[in-house]
């Protein structure tokens, strides 16, 4: 009960973090302005809080999906098969040594790439869940909430790139093998397994986003040998 209250409080607190890309958060009259009154440290903190909450809700969504549709003996083989995730083939740092060696620019662009990659698949997931006969509204609402907050996080990371790297709009290379390109399948079993894999992979990638942001914060503080959580 206390955990639910705490989560509710976090949700209320974080509903607004990146709304200020057009005003309140960074208090900018122009979304592209570099004259924002909020500090870079606060921007980074809000991005981390946002990523943490997205990860938490993605974890809850995966658990809810498992309880509703996936027999226990099927869960572990699916979630532990890393090569089923499309982003595992992309040039995104994964091991601790790789991540530690990469520049701030590389980490920020990796975060934004992952965010952009997942926007369309999450929309497809919502469409798929709407066709289920017994998908709980809690699950449907969580996936819609995640989609909205992922867009907000993309805006926040774009601002971080502008402020930390002095770069403008970021053009990302399109990935021809996105999960969003998977055909809409009306076979229920295949749809369930595909959607479950999508949720499991998204959870892994949201953890990467959170970890990369925390590493950036640690570096900003001048930490030596920042450990990855």
């Amino acid at each position: 009960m206390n955990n639910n209250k705490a989560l509710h409080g976090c949700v209320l607190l974080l509903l607004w973090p990146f709304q200020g890309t057009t005003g309140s958060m960074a208090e900018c009259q122009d979304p592209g302005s570099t004259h924002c009154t909020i500090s870079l440290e606060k921007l980074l903190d809000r991005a981390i809080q946002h990523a943490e909450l997205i990860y938490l809700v993605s974890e809850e969504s995966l658990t809810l999906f498992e309880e509703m549709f996936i027999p226990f003996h099927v869960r572990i083989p699916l979630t532990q098969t890393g090569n089923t995730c499309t982003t595992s083939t992309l040039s995104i740092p994964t091991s601790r040594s790789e991540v530690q060696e990469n520049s701030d620019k590389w980490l920020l662009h990796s975060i934004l790439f992952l965010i952009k990659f997942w926007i369309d698949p999450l929309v497809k997931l919502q469409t798929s869940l709407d066709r289920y006969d017994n998908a709980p509204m809690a699950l449907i609402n969580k996936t819609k909430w995640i989609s909205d907050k992922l867009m907000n996080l993309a805006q926040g990371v774009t601002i971080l790139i502008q402020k930390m790297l002095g770069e403008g709009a970021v053009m990302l290379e399109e990935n021809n093998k996105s999960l969003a390109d998977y055909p809409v399948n009306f076979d229920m079993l295949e749809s369930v397994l595909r959607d479950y894999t999508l949720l499991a992979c998204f959870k892994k990638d949201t953890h990467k986003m959170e970890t990369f942001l925390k590493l950036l914060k640690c570096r900003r503080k001048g930490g030596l040998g920042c450990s990855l959580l």
Side-chain angles (χ1 to χ4, degrees):
M1 185 67 176
N2 289 335
N3 289 338
N4 289 336
K5 288 183 178 178
L7 174 59
H8 179 67
C10 289
V11 170
L12 291 178
L13 181 64
L14 294 173
L15 283 177
W16 52 270
F18 293 120
Q19 298 304 318
T21 51
T22 58
S24 61
M25 183 195 91
E27 300 178 21
C28 301
Q29 297 301 317
D30 177 359
S33 172
T34 58
H35 302 289
C36 303
T37 59
I38 191 168
S39 68
L40 178 58
E41 286 68 26
K42 287 185 177 179
L43 279 171
L44 191 52
D45 283 342
R46 291 183 183 182
I48 290 171
Q49 292 169 355
H50 223 65
E52 287 175 337
L53 192 55
I54 290 173
Y55 174 74
L56 176 61
V57 178
S58 72
E59 188 174 41
E60 292 175 347
S61 300
L62 180 64
T63 299
L64 185 56
F65 194 96
E66 286 177 336
E67 292 172 350
M68 288 295 299
F69 305 112
I70 306 297
F72 182 77
H73 69 279
V74 179
R75 298 176 191 177
I76 295 178
L78 279 177
T79 55
Q80 290 188 348
T81 307
N83 58 11
T84 62
C85 298
T86 304
T87 52
S88 65
T89 64
L90 304 177
S91 299
I92 302 293
T94 53
S95 72
R96 291 191 177 192
S97 59
E98 285 181 313
V99 175
Q100 293 280 12
E101 291 171 1
N102 277 290
S103 65
D104 290 355
K105 178 176 180 178
W106 183 258
L107 292 175
L108 282 166
H109 282 277
S110 294
I111 296 165
L112 189 58
F113 187 93
L114 286 172
I115 294 171
K116 296 284 188 180
F117 177 88
W118 278 106
I119 289 173
D120 285 344
L122 287 173
V123 172
K124 289 290 182 72
L125 175 63
Q126 293 166 38
T127 301
S128 180
L129 290 175
D130 285 338
R131 296 198 307 271
Y132 285 32
D133 291 332
N134 56 343
M137 282 305 300
L139 178 60
I140 294 173
N141 290 338
K142 284 178 186 294
T143 57
K144 290 180 179 178
W145 183 91
I146 288 172
S147 289
D148 291 341
K149 297 311 161 190
L150 201 64
M151 293 293 292
N152 290 345
L153 184 58
Q155 294 173 340
V157 173
T158 299
I159 292 178
L160 283 172
I161 289 174
Q162 292 169 350
K163 291 178 74 69
M164 291 180 70
L165 306 178
E167 298 181 3
V170 181
M171 298 300 294
L172 296 175
E173 181 180 350
E174 293 294 331
N175 177 37
N176 294 328
K177 295 183 180 180
S178 168
L179 289 171
D181 295 329
Y182 283 16
V184 176
N185 196 321
F186 291 97
D187 180 271
M188 191 60 187
L189 178 59
E190 289 188 23
S191 292
V192 167
L193 292 177
R194 185 193 66 242
D195 294 344
Y196 180 57
T197 301
L198 187 150
L199 278 169
C201 292
F202 177 69
K203 175 189 167 186
K204 290 181 180 180
D205 282 347
T206 55
H207 185 257
K208 290 179 186 176
M209 298 174 204
E210 177 187 342
T211 299
F212 294 173
L213 286 166
K214 287 180 176 178
L215 177 57
L216 286 167
K217 180 179 178 180
C218 179
R219 288 177 176 178
R220 292 284 302 175
K221 290 184 175 181
L224 298 177
C226 300
S227 60
L228 298 180
L229 301 178

